[in-house]
Amino acid sequence: MHHEPVMLSETLTLIRNHSSHRKILDGTLGLGGYSEAFLNEFNDAFVLGLDRDEDAIRFSQERLKDYSSRFKAVHANFGSISELEECRNFDAYVFDLGVSNMQLELPERGFSFNNDGPLDMRMNQSEDTMTASEILERTDERTLAKIFFEYGEERYARQIASAIKRNRTKLETTNDLVKLIRETLPQPVQRKMGTHPARRIFQALRIYINDETGELERLLDSLTRISDHDVIIVFIAYHSLEDRIIKRCFREWQNDNRGKILTRHPLVPSEEEIAKNYKARSAKLRAFRLSLC
């Protein structure tokens, strides 16, 4: 299982130029790609990795066991960062908001529209939250359409929600949902999409089930209260909803004289990086230097 950190060079440059990089928090640990790079690049740095996925914690602990004196992994949602004493007073905070390859490549997690598996999509399977299957079964048509439109920006949200309502008992796996979406969307529309027809629906369900925008907003609120010195904050977002939340927050911080936006416009992957890692194509990186002294 492999993960190629997106815009790693840009992230390392920002940390090097705008922080003392003695302590770095990797708020979305995943398979440990960013954390390993931080440990290798900054020889005296301590890196703390957070992830809400217990599988990611186990994998990264094994991957980075040779750095045990300088690395620690913690099972936690980044939205609760202000409640974790060990997350305070870092020099850099980095958050890659993409879905990890572990979640996508394991069919039993139910995140992928390319692999058949149960309709789950929970990032933290130890939490008592509803699975995608339960959401589709229990949620009324109007609410489903709202979820698909707001979190997936799906133009055909109503039609897909209506089709799901008519076929609830037939939706047991990810392939069942993909098939229904393909049967619902007009063929000319699918040909013009340029992407998988189920991508937006899967994205919307994942964001809703895991309260991703709520976690992000709680994180942004917490970041102004967890350090006693200046810090650099780096976000890599993959869809417009998250990116808008980050952009708005950074502007508010700057207007309130809390620091400086380091990326006047979001950084995007180079053509060379996209050619090597197609999943990076939609990424946008924004960084802020937060003044807390």
Side-chain angles (χ1 to χ4, degrees):
M1 196 172 298
H2 178 70
H3 169 65
E4 190 72 31
V6 175
M7 287 190 284
L8 178 59
S9 176
E10 293 87 341
T11 300
L12 292 172
T13 298
L14 283 162
I15 294 173
R16 185 183 305 110
N17 292 342
H18 297 282
S19 80
S20 60
H21 49 72
R22 293 185 302 271
K23 293 176 66 179
I24 303 171
L25 189 140
D26 180 357
T28 46
L29 179 58
L31 298 179
Y34 285 96
S35 285
E36 184 174 51
F38 300 153
L39 291 162
N40 288 330
E41 182 72 15
F42 307 114
N43 294 329
D44 59 345
F46 171 78
V47 177
L48 178 69
L50 302 183
D51 208 292
R52 64 200 298 186
D53 190 326
E54 290 179 306
D55 289 341
I57 295 295
R58 285 190 288 268
F59 183 93
S60 61
Q61 284 176 326
E62 176 62 24
R63 175 178 181 173
L64 302 176
K65 61 184 179 182
D66 292 340
Y67 302 91
S68 58
S69 63
R70 295 197 292 126
F71 171 76
K72 182 179 180 180
V74 176
H75 180 225
N77 294 357
F78 59 54
S80 62
I81 198 171
S82 64
E83 303 168 15
L84 304 171
E85 186 65 28
E86 56 198 326
C87 295
R88 302 185 69 84
N89 298 322
F90 277 72
D91 302 303
Y93 293 82
V94 179
F95 305 91
D96 178 328
L97 302 179
V99 182
S100 79
N101 281 6
M102 173 178 288
Q103 292 163 342
L104 289 174
E105 292 177 9
L106 294 176
E108 61 267 27
R109 299 300 301 272
F111 283 93
S112 176
F113 42 73
N114 290 316
N115 299 307
D116 194 25
L119 280 165
D120 193 324
M121 300 193 197
R122 291 171 299 160
M123 289 184 176
N124 186 351
Q125 292 184 312
S126 65
E127 288 183 339
D128 186 21
T129 54
M130 286 195 292
T131 65
S133 177
E134 291 168 332
I135 293 291
L136 295 176
E137 180 182 353
R138 302 176 189 180
T139 307
D140 63 84
E141 180 180 336
R142 183 177 180 181
T143 303
L144 275 180
K146 184 178 180 182
I147 291 169
F148 298 156
F149 183 76
E150 290 189 359
Y151 297 131
E153 298 177 313
E154 174 57 66
R155 290 173 54 197
Y156 292 85
R158 291 181 179 177
Q159 293 91 325
I160 294 172
S162 178
I164 288 171
K165 182 180 179 181
R166 295 192 304 270
N167 295 274
R168 289 180 196 269
T169 59
K170 299 178 182 178
L171 297 178
E172 297 181 355
T173 69
T174 54
N175 274 0
D176 292 337
L177 181 56
V178 169
K179 181 181 178 182
L180 179 65
I181 293 168
R182 287 189 182 278
E183 292 173 349
T184 302
L185 292 174
Q187 285 300 317
V189 170
Q190 294 188 50
R191 286 194 291 270
K192 292 179 181 179
M193 290 179 77
T195 185
H196 196 289
R199 184 180 67 84
R200 293 179 182 272
I201 298 301
F202 272 65
Q203 172 186 295
L205 284 170
R206 190 200 78 228
I207 291 172
Y208 180 76
I209 290 165
N210 297 289
D211 190 24
E212 292 181 30
T213 56
E215 289 290 325
L216 176 58
E217 289 170 345
R218 286 187 285 276
L219 168 63
L220 288 164
D221 179 63
S222 298
L223 286 171
T224 61
R225 297 182 279 106
I226 60 173
S227 185
D228 59 10
H229 61 272
D230 290 2
V231 301
I232 179 176
I233 298 166
V234 178
F235 277 100
I236 302 168
Y238 295 82
H239 59 80
S240 58
L241 181 60
E242 288 176 337
D243 185 59
R244 284 195 297 269
I245 292 172
I246 296 163
K247 178 182 178 181
R248 182 180 68 248
C249 181
F250 281 7
R251 283 183 173 177
E252 290 175 355
W253 285 351
Q254 184 163 273
N255 291 340
D256 291 340
N257 296 315
R258 290 185 170 184
K260 180 182 179 182
I261 295 173
L262 301 177
T263 47
R264 182 178 178 183
H265 301 289
L267 304 182
V268 296
S270 65
E271 292 182 2
E272 291 79 9
E273 179 170 4
I274 294 172
K276 294 178 181 179
N277 180 15
Y278 186 65
K279 293 178 182 178
R281 67 193 183 283
S282 60
K284 290 183 178 181
L285 185 154
R286 295 184 187 271
F288 193 95
R289 181 168 178 80
L290 194 60
S291 297
L292 299 171
C293 298

